């Protein structure tokens, strides 16, 4: 970090051993929401800015026993700061075990699109040869691998029905058993955690704006992230993580998915609305791209007002400090 000439030119020699604030960040990444692209960026950024990127090899254990929670929190808390820890894991309450609560960040996406991406990725992988579907799911039977998505949904296979479809909310609700039960309790707790513990929850459909805000809020970790992301070399790497053999279910099947995922959508629209308020606060316009043609019965997005809900001017830095103090 001391060798970062940009920092030195702009600010003079950095004082020794003064940590950026916050110096503990957790990205408890939601599966199939662009997280591999973000982790790719974080690897480049950690080299460039000299923070400690702590990743986990455990990708399929999001729910932990009390002892596993204590152990993981202890391991994370003792990492060299400034650190950014990332893993697919449901929200952990550090303060419950006497630890300092870190700053959380995350990204989510349209729930049906996330589900479809995961369905086909599990079966057919992506363009990266070294991690193809046979290596990912070697025990999957052929008839399951080639199971038509419409049959899965319409005939109520476990993979295409609740509680499997209740996927995004537990990442924000936490480790309580009720966080895995589709319903109001988990939804409200997830919203509360977003408000109290997450510095930013972005939406994948507006990834460039997510990166811009991360750069603004956490410059020690994300400075220059957008220029790295837009670099043609990185674009090539990003394309390798595109799921292959994706097909679109019938309108009838999609309508059933919407009904089964109504809590997920309520949460998604809540996060999207908060994200758009944040963008407006920092002068970022929402460039609404023309949506893909969708059946008429798709659930419409809530109407987005052009103006912030309150018009009071608030100092940006003061607002950031308040978030960190919460």
């Amino acid at each position: 970090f001391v060798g970062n000439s940009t920092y030195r030119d702009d600010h003079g020699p950095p004082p020794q051993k003064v940590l950026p604030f916050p110096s503990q960040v957790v990205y408890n990444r939601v599966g199939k929401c662009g997280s591999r692209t973000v982790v790719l960026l974080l690897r480049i950024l950690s080299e460039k800015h000299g923070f400690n990127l702590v990743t986990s090899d455990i990708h399929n254990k999001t729910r932990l026993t009390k002892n596993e929670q204590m152990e993981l929190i202890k391991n994370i808390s003792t990492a060299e700061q400034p650190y950014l820890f990332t893993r697919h894991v449901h929200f952990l309450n550090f303060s419950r075990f006497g630890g300092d609560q870190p700053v959380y960040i995350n990204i989510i996406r349209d729930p049906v699109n996330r589900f479809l991406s995961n369905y086909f990725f599990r079966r057919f992988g992506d363009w990266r040869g070294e991690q193809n579907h046979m290596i990912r799911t070697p025990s999957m039977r052929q008839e399951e691998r080639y199971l038509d998505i419409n049959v899965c949904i319409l005939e109520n296979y476990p993979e295409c029905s609740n509680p499997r479809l209740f996927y995004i909310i537990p990442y924000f609700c936490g480790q309580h058993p009720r966080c895995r039960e589709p319903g109001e309790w988990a939804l409200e707790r997830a919203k509360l955690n977003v408000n109290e513990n997450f510095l930013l929850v972005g939406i994948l459909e507006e990834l460039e704006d997510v990166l811009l805000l991360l750069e603004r809020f956490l410059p020690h970790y994300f400075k220059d992230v957008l220029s790295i992301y837009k670099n043609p070399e990185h674009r090539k790497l990003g394309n390798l993580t595109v799921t292959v053999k994706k097909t679109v279910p019938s309108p009838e099947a999609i309508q059933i998915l919407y009904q089964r995922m109504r809590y997920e959508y309520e949460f998604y629209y809540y996060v999207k609305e908060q994200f758009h308020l944040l963008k407006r606060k920092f002068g970022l316009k929402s460039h609404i791209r023309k949506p893909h043609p969708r059946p008429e019965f798709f659930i419409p997005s809530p109407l987005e007002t052009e103006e912030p809900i309150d018009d009071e001017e608030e100092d940006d830095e003061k607002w950031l400090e308040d978030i960190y103090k919460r």
Side-chain angles (χ1 to χ4, degrees):
F1 182 72
V2 176
N4 184 333
S5 59
T6 312
Y7 187 98
R8 193 161 49 232
D9 294 346
D10 291 349
H11 303 276
Q16 291 301 304
K17 293 188 178 171
V18 173
L19 291 170
F21 190 77
S23 60
Q24 302 169 85
V25 179
V26 172
Y27 171 33
N28 65 322
R29 51 200 185 112
V30 182
K32 304 312 294 172
C33 289
S35 64
R36 283 187 298 154
T37 297
V38 177
V39 170
L40 209 81
L41 289 167
L42 283 167
R43 290 207 178 106
I44 298 166
L45 291 164
S46 66
E47 294 274 316
K48 189 175 166 70
H49 301 321
F51 62 84
N52 183 14
L53 179 62
V54 186
T55 57
S56 172
D57 295 331
I58 303 167
H59 300 296
N60 56 0
K61 191 169 175 55
T62 53
R63 310 158 184 181
L64 310 176
T65 65
K66 191 176 174 184
N67 281 343
E68 286 169 337
Q69 288 177 58
M70 287 170 71
E71 189 65 25
L72 182 58
I73 286 170
K74 192 176 85 179
N75 288 344
I76 297 170
S77 300
T78 54
E80 186 188 341
Q81 298 180 24
Y83 69 72
L84 190 149
F85 173 79
T86 179
R87 172 177 161 177
H88 293 297
V89 65
H90 294 166
F91 175 77
L92 290 160
N93 189 340
F94 281 60
S95 48
R96 183 182 168 214
F97 299 102
D100 290 337
Q101 190 69 0
V103 161
Y104 271 85
I105 56 172
N106 218 322
I107 301 171
I108 64 173
R109 76 191 280 193
D110 178 280
V112 163
N113 287 341
R114 195 220 69 83
F115 164 74
L116 294 176
S117 181
N118 188 57
Y119 184 89
F120 293 106
F121 177 67
R122 286 187 68 239
R123 284 162 172 75
F124 307 113
D126 53 31
W127 293 109
R128 299 176 307 162
E130 82 280 6
Q131 196 177 346
N132 63 29
H133 60 285
M134 295 310 291
I135 296 168
R136 281 197 65 76
T137 50
S139 61
M140 189 181 274
R141 299 192 312 277
Q142 286 298 88
E143 60 267 31
E144 188 187 351
R145 195 179 300 283
Y146 293 98
L147 175 65
D148 183 275
I149 183 76
N150 292 301
V151 172
C152 186
I153 295 163
L154 298 174
E155 297 187 13
N156 217 6
Y157 278 67
E159 188 179 355
C160 298
S161 53
N162 277 319
R164 295 273 186 88
L165 296 179
F166 194 69
Y167 181 87
I168 297 171
I169 287 173
Y171 275 87
F172 299 87
C173 177
Q175 297 287 337
H176 192 288
R178 286 186 73 184
C179 287
R180 303 195 289 276
E181 296 168 13
E184 291 290 334
W185 189 90
L187 169 66
E188 292 308 317
R189 184 157 165 160
K191 286 182 185 175
L192 189 69
N193 273 334
V194 166
N195 295 338
E196 292 187 351
N197 292 296
F198 283 79
L199 175 64
L200 178 69
V201 184
I203 57 167
L204 184 62
E205 294 82 359
E206 297 170 39
L207 180 59
E208 289 194 9
D209 287 339
V210 179
L211 298 177
L212 264 174
L213 287 176
L214 284 170
E215 184 168 356
R216 179 100 186 229
F217 296 168
L218 299 168
H220 182 77
Y221 300 87
F222 287 97
K223 190 173 188 303
D224 300 325
V225 66
L226 203 55
S227 56
I228 295 166
Y229 174 68
K230 287 180 163 180
N231 182 307
E233 281 304 302
H234 168 258
R235 279 290 190 207
K236 259 193 305 201
L237 292 170
N239 289 339
L240 296 175
T241 66
V242 174
T243 301
V244 296
K245 292 200 183 186
K246 226 192 272 189
T247 58
V248 179
S250 70
E252 183 193 359
I254 287 180
Q255 179 66 354
I256 288 170
L257 278 182
Y258 267 119
Q259 288 161 359
R260 289 178 187 165
M261 300 174 95
R262 65 187 181 278
Y263 293 112
E264 294 272 279
Y265 270 97
E266 198 174 325
F267 182 71
Y268 172 73
Y269 287 132
Y270 175 79
V271 165
K272 190 174 183 176
E273 191 181 0
Q274 299 301 310
F275 181 64
H276 283 174
L277 282 172
L278 205 52
K279 276 171 59 171
R280 284 200 291 275
K281 194 179 196 78
F282 287 91
L284 293 176
K285 296 273 189 294
S286 290
H287 301 290
I288 308 298
R289 292 198 187 98
K290 266 195 163 177
H292 298 299
R294 290 180 149 196
E296 286 172 17
F297 51 70
F298 267 52
I299 297 173
S301 307
L303 288 172
E304 284 155 352
T305 51
E306 284 309 306
E307 294 303 315
I309 285 171
D310 60 67
D311 293 325
E312 290 175 29
E313 288 295 316
E314 192 176 351
D315 179 57
D316 289 355
E317 301 310 316
K318 163 98 171 57
W319 178 83
L320 269 176
E321 279 169 31
D322 290 345
I323 282 241
Y324 292 144
K325 282 176 192 159
R326 282 198 310 222

